Amino acid sequence: MSPKVLVVEDERVINDAVADRLRAEGFDVEQAFDGPGAVTTYAAVRPDLVVLDVMLPGFDGLEVCRRIQAPDLSPAPVPVPVLMLTARDDEADILVGLAVGADDYLTKPFRMRELVARVRALLRRVDRAAELASRPAARLEVGDLLVDTGARRVAVAGEEVRLTPTEFDLLVRLAQVPGEVLPRERLLADVWDWPDAAGTRTVDSHVKALRAKIGAHRVRTVHGVGYALEEAQVSHP
């Protein structure tokens, strides 16, 4: 069966254009045009992925994301991936979207080819997550941080932390080589399946969102290079 995508955008011209392109690419597409309609449609059709505009009537895309990522609608361990569309290239707005459960974002105006590529990359990560969940559980421990790759669960000092699929994959990649600095370009290739460095800001935004959930001191920045997961429980500037 074709993957099912829910497109949520209040501007009908944009909504229809995105939906038509995704259908042409072989996806099964549902559409919604406001916040309440998005949540209702999501509950009814259970899509494999949501393309979600931030600015919506009724209530905004951030609230939509919170509601569809709640455990009753999107049970752990693999919440539905959300590609957020935003008209503002503002880091604070982007981090809020990532904090409420979005996995990736595109800033308007965007190219349809790039949107399709992001959708496919997100769905590949979902497939990879399902494959890992079917394997015997592997445990990665870095200090008081525990990552269970089979169950896709993370605990910090014994307390479970809920991550988006992208945040989880990013953390696993860092936890595989604790203390080693991974360049942004390597993280893009390994986590996002992107072959070039055009999205290094995406890495930075997701690292900031991950830090907010597991503790900022656990991820060390090497400016101009990349990031490393640290075992030492000390703060870094």
Side-chain angles (χ1 to χ4, degrees):
M1 294 179 63
S2 300
K4 184 176 293 184
V5 178
L6 172 60
V7 177
V8 185
E9 163 66 64
D10 65 315
E11 294 187 40
R12 183 169 289 275
V13 171
I14 297 176
N15 194 320
D16 287 344
V18 171
D20 289 346
R21 178 59 182 266
L22 290 174
R23 289 188 182 108
E25 296 286 340
F27 295 98
D28 181 5
V29 180
E30 298 286 342
Q31 295 173 259
F33 300 89
D34 57 37
V39 175
T40 299
T41 304
Y42 176 87
V45 305
R46 299 290 176 151
D48 300 296
L49 182 142
V50 179
V51 177
L52 178 61
D53 187 34
V54 172
M55 301 302 294
L56 295 170
F59 46 78
D60 65 18
L62 299 177
E63 182 60 24
V64 171
C65 197
R66 289 189 190 95
R67 296 192 187 194
I68 67 175
Q69 298 289 28
D72 57 335
L73 282 184
S74 187
V78 186
V80 65
V82 175
L83 175 60
M84 192 79 80
L85 305 179
T86 174
R88 297 179 59 184
D89 190 17
D90 185 278
E91 186 174 58
D93 290 344
I94 291 167
L95 289 175
V96 170
L98 298 178
V100 298
D103 293 275
D104 203 353
Y105 63 89
L106 273 177
T107 302
K108 296 179 180 179
F110 52 83
R111 294 175 298 173
M112 286 294 177
R113 182 172 62 181
E114 184 175 6
L115 182 142
V116 172
R118 299 284 187 95
V119 166
R120 292 194 186 282
L122 282 170
L123 290 172
R124 283 197 300 270
R125 293 204 293 277
V126 171
D127 291 340
R128 187 167 61 204
E131 180 186 352
L132 288 173
S134 68
R135 298 176 183 176
R139 293 162 65 91
L140 302 172
E141 296 187 47
V142 183
D144 63 352
L145 176 70
L146 172 64
V147 182
D148 185 329
T149 61
R152 292 185 69 87
R153 290 185 174 179
V154 174
V156 175
E159 295 292 327
E160 188 166 347
V161 178
R162 186 176 172 89
L163 301 181
T164 68
T166 303
E167 290 167 353
F168 183 87
D169 291 345
L170 174 60
L171 179 59
V172 168
R173 186 66 187 94
L174 292 169
Q176 288 171 338
V177 286
E180 179 179 330
V181 179
L182 294 177
R184 291 174 175 84
E185 293 79 8
R186 171 50 50 192
L187 291 170
L188 272 175
D190 292 350
V191 178
W192 279 264
D193 294 321
W194 291 3
D196 57 51
T200 50
R201 186 176 174 187
T202 293
V203 177
D204 297 338
S205 298
H206 279 82
V207 166
K208 288 184 178 181
L210 180 62
R211 280 174 165 156
K213 294 182 179 181
I214 69 170
H217 58 285
R218 291 184 169 86
V219 183
R220 176 166 60 95
T221 301
V222 178
H223 294 290
V225 182
Y227 299 98
L229 188 66
E230 294 293 295
E231 181 173 346
Q233 301 301 299
V234 296
S235 297
H236 294 274

